[in-house]
Amino acid sequence: RGTTVSCILAGTNFESGGRTDVVVRNTTSGAAIAMGLNVVYPTQISASLTIPADTVTGTYQVVVTTDDGGQAAKSVPFVIR
């Protein structure tokens, strides 16, 4: 908490031009933190996540949504301690 982490997300059918959104969503409360997207390619997203110091600790799920309504969630959770 109180830091920024960089990550690469791999997948398919990502859309560039601001049409792809990525959030980490707390699996208990549903609270979400939006990721800043640096570069979006059809099979890869370079992103950064600024985790506020007061963020609730716990398990989060990475959720990618495209402009056409497609949505996918990472099966392995993201943990904030």
Side-chain angles (χ1 to χ4, degrees):
R1 299 183 300 163
T3 191
T4 299
V5 294
S6 297
C7 64
I8 301 290
L9 304 173
T12 58
N13 301 318
F14 297 139
E15 299 174 3
S16 61
R19 297 176 295 179
T20 298
D21 294 313
V22 182
V23 299
V24 291
R25 187 174 312 283
N26 185 287
T27 57
T28 303
S29 71
I33 306 169
M35 294 183 98
L37 305 184
N38 301 322
V39 180
V40 178
Y41 296 107
T43 60
Q44 180 176 296
I45 296 173
S46 170
S48 59
L49 173 65
T50 300
I51 305 169
D54 61 349
T55 298
V56 175
T57 60
T59 303
Y60 285 72
Q61 187 173 42
V62 178
V63 180
V64 178
T65 305
T66 58
D67 198 35
D68 64 2
Q71 187 176 74
K74 179 101 174 106
S75 60
V76 177
F78 182 86
V79 178
I80 296 177
R81 297 178 188 203

